[in-house]
Each structure stands twice: as C-alpha cells, then as structure tokens.
Amino acid sequence: MLWFLICVGLLIGGYFIYGAFVEKVFGINTQRKTPAYTQTDGVDYVPMSKGKVYLIQLLNIAGVGPIFGPILGALYGPAAMLWIVIGCIFAGAVHDYFSGMLSVRNNGQSVPNLAGKYLGKGAKNFMNIFAIILLLLVGVVFISAPAGLLGKLTGMSVTMFVGIIFVYYLIATIVPVDKIIGRLYPFFGALLMFMSVGLTIAIMVSDQHTLLPGFTPGDFLQNLNPKDAPLWPALFITIACGAVSGFHATQSPLMARCVENESNGRFVFYGAMIGEGIIALIWCAIALSFYDGVQGLNDSMGGNPANVVYGASTGLLGAVGGFMAVLGVIVLPITSGDTAFRSARLILSEYFNMPQVKISKRLVLAIPLFVIGAILTQVDFGIIWRYFGVANQATAVMMLWTASAYLIRHNKLHWICTVPAMFMTDVVISFLLSSSTLGAGLPMTVATIAGTITTVCIAVLVMYIAKGKAQELAASDIEEA
C-alpha cells in the first residue's frame, strides 16, 4: 500500500511542481482572448467552465488505454508503475499541455496544422495522413472493446452493441459539442472517479487480497515478465495512455476550442493527464494484486485484459458495485471513440477548408469515416490493437517534436520537450526495427543502436528546421506572443 500511495503522491506533486514549471516556460497570457471567444460558432467553438472542460478532456483521452495498457504492462511487474509515474509527469502531461496550449494560441487548430507551422509542410502532410489513420484505429478499438464488455455483461449480441455504438458515435460527431458531450460527459467523469476510487478502497480493505503483495523496492527496476518478454522497448509501447499517448494530441484541440482563459490550461491539459495516470496506476496495481502477482495475472488474463476488468470489478465490489465499475470501463472507450471521429472530421475540415457550421458539411466528412470504421471492425482486435499502439506513440513523437520546435523558435527551455521527444523516438524506432511481427525483426542490440543514432539525427534536423522557421515567421511570432 505504501508504494502505491507514494506513486499517487508523486503524480499529484508532479502537477503542482513540474506542471507549474512547464506553464512558466510556456508563458501564459491571461489577457489574450481564447478561440472559444474569437472563433465562436456554436458547434465546435463554445466557451465552457474550467471544471466542465477538465472532465470532458479526461473522458476524451481516457479510453480503454489507461486500463487495458496498464493491465498488459503489469505482466512486467511494478516497473510498469514506475514508467507510468515518470512518463506521465515528464512526457505525457507535457505532451498534452503543449498540444492543447499551442492549439489555443493558433485559433484551435489541429495537430497536423501545428506540425506544419513549426516543422514545415512535409510534417503537416505526414501528420494529416497519420492522424486520420490513428483516429480511425482508435474509433474501431473503442467500439470493439465496449461492445465486447457489454455483451459479456448482458449476454446479448456483441454485433448488436457494435451497431448501437456506431449510431451514437455518428450523432455525437455531428451535433454541437455542448449538446451531448458538454452535458453528459461531466456526469460520466464523476462515474469514472467513483469507479477508480471504489476499486482502490475495496482492495485496500479486502480480507482476501493485499495491495502489491510480496513486491519489494528492487522489483520496480526488474523485468518480471513470466514469458521473458523484453522490457525495452515493448513496455513503453504497451503502456501508452497513462504515460504518454499521441491520441491525446488529437483530442486536446477539441477542448482548446472551449477553454475560457489560458490560465485554465494547466488544470485542463496537464491535470487531465495526471488524472489518467492515477487511473492507470490503479488498474496496474489491481492487476498485480487481485491475482497475487505476475504469474497469477498471466494465467487468469487469457490474453484479454477485459477478463481482468470483469473479474476484479465483480470480485472486489460484488454484483452491483462490479456492474457500476464495468459500466465505468465501458463509458471510457465510448466517450473517447466519439471524440476520435469528431477530431477526424475537424482535421479533414481544416485540410479541405470546409466550414462545419452546416450539418450537411459535417455529414459529408463524417459518413465516409464511419464506413471505413465499419469495415475495420471486421479485422481481428489483436491486430488492430498492435497497430494502434505503434501509431499512437509515433503521433506522440511528432507532437513532442512540434512543441520542441515551438520552444526553440521562442528561445525558451526546449529540453522539457526535446528530452521526452528523443526518448520516445528511440522507443518507436527500436521497436519497429526489433519487432518480428510489425517491423524488421533485427536483434535488439542492433535495433537499439540504430534507433539511438537515428534519434540524434532527427533531433539535429528539428533544431535546424526550428531555427530556420524562427527567422521565416518572425512577424507571426510577435503577434502570437
């Protein structure tokens, strides 16, 4: 219990200490009008209170990632919890803050346009394609997972639930943001917090289970995977949401269009990521505790994290409490899946310069996305999840480099973004080079060396581009600052 509480305390402390430092480096302007007021359209640009925007942001970014990812990551032992804490404070929350605040500073623009402004046209074109692919994969993952849990919970047809969720997604994607998302998501956010706190208290007071049983401080630095799967770089791909996730870069601009003042940015963007980190810690700890260790978790999971969610929730909270907890887990992906499709619609609208005030324009972009999504639901879930994990972290890399370039241009402390950008770049490249299923299948030592060399080259290139763009766009920078 002590080690779990220390991890939670570090995350909370990270918000107040490092979060304040990141905000100071960025340099907020409380007198500057936000896009919620300068671009108000009653559809996507709608001013909302700080508390409401925070809860919506938390639900937007917290799909099944901070639950399924940490459960799978728990197979490596408590090292997964250490990565959640370090990754969340120094990489994930920084990533989310800059993806949100750079959007606030640029009229609510999406990540491809931000990448284009600070890294060049090539980065913009790459991110347009990559972001749409990622969002489609997210939408599909966040349909299949809740539909499967609903089928398990009710005994009814999973296909039927897939259809129902699809219909809801279409409606939520095209209606104004304050009609469904703004009204229902704060309530869902409260349900999420109840579920997380309830499960934590239940396992702490349980007579049958002990929180992190038998683990020592040394276990936090060891790989305890029962199948001897390598910790580097797989753990950092497996646990994305909860530590650092590129999907969040596609979601933060949604709330950047609703933030009332730049002073709310740290609470909304950095704070929501810290909240997701706590959720990830809870599920990682439950996975390690409910089954009395890594081996028991591996034997009980059966390759599907949903089995852990269902078993632990009903086992710790009983039938009624377990139903509420599983319902909270179902709400998470649904409330992220609809905003994934909404983000894809807005990215396409920026690319084609198609205003979204008229519902007919929204349907023109939304319907093709749902058709493609319906086709992808026929692909095996495991395959979709693997590609989602890699695409997710690659998007995070691009956003971190974009933020780094912004700070370089403004002669600010860019290392707060450059260091995590370099680390995650090395993770993605090393994983792709070493993976036998998704990449080249090279020996790990060769893949890591090649990944490190490539990362250094990319860092030099970004710094060169950023300094060049600083001179090219000096006039716009004066206005932006």
Side-chain angles (χ1 to χ4, degrees), residues 413-432:
L413 186 63
H414 67 90
W415 294 109
I416 62 172
C417 293
T418 299
V419 171
M422 291 181 69
F423 178 79
M424 292 309 302
T425 301
D426 203 353
V427 165
V428 172
I429 295 174
S430 297
F431 180 80
L432 288 175

Side-chain angles (χ1 to χ4, degrees), residues 11-366:
L11 282 176
I12 296 173
Y15 168 78
F16 287 102
I17 299 172
Y18 197 68
F21 175 70
V22 169
E23 181 183 59
K24 183 178 180 180
V25 171
F26 176 79
I28 61 172
N29 181 352
T30 58
Q31 303 303 312
R32 182 188 179 94
K33 288 187 176 182
T34 62
Y37 294 106
T38 61
Q39 307 284 115
T40 304
D41 63 2
V43 179
D44 297 306
Y45 292 82
V46 180
M48 293 185 188
S49 67
K50 181 169 70 172
K52 181 178 287 190
V53 172
Y54 171 86
L55 288 174
I56 296 172
Q57 172 74 0
L58 178 61
L59 283 169
N60 285 355
I61 65 175
V64 290
I67 298 175
F68 282 17
I71 290 173
L72 291 168
L75 290 172
Y76 294 91
M81 299 178 66
L82 189 62
W83 165 237
I84 290 170
V85 172
I86 296 174
C88 186
I89 294 173
F90 297 104
V94 174
H95 167 280
D96 288 16
Y97 181 80
F98 276 92
S99 63
M101 292 306 295
L102 288 182
S103 182
V104 169
R105 286 284 175 91
N106 290 275
N107 297 320
Q109 291 185 8
S110 300
V111 62
N113 282 353
L114 297 177
K117 179 174 181 179
Y118 299 111
L119 291 176
K121 187 176 180 180
K124 176 181 178 179
N125 293 334
F126 174 82
M127 283 303 296
N128 268 315
I129 297 172
F130 216 77
I132 294 296
I133 293 174
L134 172 62
L135 288 167
L136 284 172
L137 290 175
V138 168
V140 171
V141 167
F142 292 172
I143 289 172
S144 301
L149 280 171
L150 283 167
K152 192 178 186 68
L153 199 64
T154 64
M156 299 173 68
S157 169
V158 174
T159 303
M160 180 191 71
F161 284 118
V162 168
I164 292 173
I165 295 172
F166 251 122
V167 172
Y168 165 74
Y169 278 4
L170 179 60
I171 296 172
T173 299
I174 62 175
V175 301
V177 68
D178 60 335
K179 300 304 181 184
I180 294 180
I181 294 174
R183 292 181 180 179
L184 296 182
Y185 282 24
F187 167 76
F188 289 152
L191 176 63
L192 168 61
M193 292 180 178
F194 164 79
M195 175 267 291
S196 302
V197 173
L199 284 169
T200 305
I201 294 174
I203 202 164
M204 284 182 173
V205 302
S206 173
D207 294 331
Q208 299 177 332
H209 303 283
T210 303
L211 197 60
L212 300 179
F215 292 111
T216 65
D219 292 330
F220 280 78
L221 301 176
Q222 295 186 31
N223 180 10
L224 304 181
N225 193 289
K227 296 182 179 179
D228 293 324
L231 189 148
W232 168 268
L235 175 64
F236 309 101
I237 296 291
T238 302
I239 301 182
C241 301
V244 55
S245 169
F247 170 62
H248 300 180
T250 68
Q251 299 302 289
S252 294
L254 294 180
M255 290 302 98
R257 298 176 173 102
C258 301
V259 169
E260 293 179 318
N261 192 284
E262 286 193 3
S263 62
N264 298 344
R266 177 159 67 100
F267 181 68
V268 171
F269 301 117
Y270 198 100
M273 183 61 209
I274 294 295
E276 183 177 89
I278 293 174
I279 294 170
L281 272 179
I282 289 172
W283 278 103
C284 189
I286 288 173
L288 288 169
S289 307
F290 188 76
Y291 298 100
D292 298 320
V294 173
Q295 188 61 55
L297 170 63
N298 183 63
D299 295 340
S300 302
M301 188 186 305
N304 189 347
N307 294 330
V308 176
V309 172
Y310 184 81
S313 297
T314 54
L316 289 171
L317 299 178
V320 176
F323 177 85
M324 292 294 292
V326 173
L327 184 61
V329 176
I330 290 169
V331 164
L332 279 175
I334 291 178
T335 55
S336 294
D338 61 356
T339 52
F341 282 109
R342 189 181 192 94
S343 296
R345 172 178 65 80
L346 290 169
I347 289 173
L348 288 175
S349 72
E350 290 179 359
Y351 181 79
F352 292 111
N353 193 25
M354 185 183 296
Q356 297 289 282
V357 177
K358 294 182 178 180
I359 193 170
S360 59
K361 300 291 186 181
R362 287 173 249 159
L363 286 170
V364 165
L365 297 179

